[in-house]
Amino acid sequence: MISSVHGEVLSVGLDHAVVEVGGVGFAVQATPSTLATLRRGERIRLHTSLVVREDSLTLFGFADVDARELFVLLQTVSGIGPRLALAALAVLDPDKLRSALADGDINVLTQVPGIGKKGAERLSLELRDKVVAVPSTADAVPVAGGAVRAEVVEALVGLGFAAKQAEQAVNRVLGEAGEDGATTSQVLRSALTTLGRKR
């Protein structure tokens, strides 16, 4: 399986980009939000999933591992193929999609073209226990920025990241999100996503 591609963007279309890796141009299907971040001539890394069919090999690309994992998970449900899974991630960001699946929010899931009420109910029923909903800030107890920083850095070091690398990732996340109201779990999740992109 091709789990990622790293190379120069040769072209960006409406539904795909062509990335040159080792002299070979790979056509990678992606969501509009992912394609919007790509520029011709730039070097990029996309996390990918290869879908094999009798008559085709199709590569789907994502900006982060979380989106790719959701893409694969959605296809475990009967009637959900790669195109529909990609459409779900085009309409809903991974956090919102996870929450909708965990909460059984049919109204949110039916926003995806091609997913009706029955399909949304089946998705929620089958995937509810397989996804972890992101807690809302209303449910979480905020911790002071300094305490959050120390706890998250310690957790990342415990997971095997270098201390300096962990500190840089946490500082970046806190700088973007603001220290007020950020919980340890939110910052840890964002820092892991940031570190994942750099690998």
Side-chain angles (χ1 to χ4, degrees):
M1 178 181 168
I2 302 172
S3 61
S4 71
V5 293
H6 180 220
E8 182 182 337
V9 178
L10 297 182
S11 66
V12 181
L14 292 174
D15 62 352
H16 75 285
V18 178
V19 182
E20 184 178 28
V21 182
V24 179
F26 287 90
V28 184
Q29 303 289 315
T31 63
S33 59
T34 297
L35 292 170
T37 65
L38 307 182
R39 299 288 178 271
R40 188 176 174 182
E42 286 186 355
R43 292 188 66 80
I44 54 95
R45 180 184 302 279
L46 290 174
H47 301 278
T48 57
S49 175
L50 180 64
V51 176
V52 180
R53 294 286 184 264
E54 285 183 14
D55 58 347
S56 68
L57 297 172
T58 310
L59 203 56
F60 293 85
F62 307 90
D64 56 58
V65 176
D66 188 35
R68 182 185 65 190
E69 288 176 352
L70 263 177
F71 172 77
V72 172
L73 183 64
L74 287 168
Q75 292 174 75
T76 63
V77 177
S78 175
I80 305 295
R83 299 288 175 190
L84 207 49
L86 192 66
L89 287 161
V91 174
L92 306 170
D93 64 60
D95 287 350
K96 190 170 184 180
L97 182 54
R98 283 182 188 279
S99 295
L101 290 168
D103 299 338
D105 194 333
I106 305 304
N107 290 331
V108 171
L109 295 173
T110 52
Q111 290 175 16
V112 179
I115 296 182
K117 186 179 178 183
K118 285 185 178 178
E121 289 172 346
R122 187 169 64 248
L123 272 170
S124 177
L125 183 67
E126 293 190 27
L127 301 182
R128 176 179 295 156
D129 298 329
K130 296 180 182 178
V131 296
V132 178
V134 179
S136 67
T137 50
D139 299 331
V141 180
V143 186
V148 169
R149 180 181 281 106
E151 288 176 16
V152 176
V153 168
E154 185 180 342
L156 290 170
V157 170
L159 289 170
F161 293 98
K164 186 175 181 181
Q165 190 182 19
E167 287 171 0
Q168 288 174 344
V170 173
N171 288 340
R172 182 176 171 186
V173 169
L174 287 173
E176 290 173 355
E179 294 186 4
D180 295 334
T183 66
T184 303
S185 61
Q186 289 170 333
V187 176
L188 178 58
R189 190 177 296 110
S190 299
L192 283 168
T193 301
T194 301
L195 288 165
R197 288 196 195 107
K198 294 178 181 176
R199 286 193 155 187

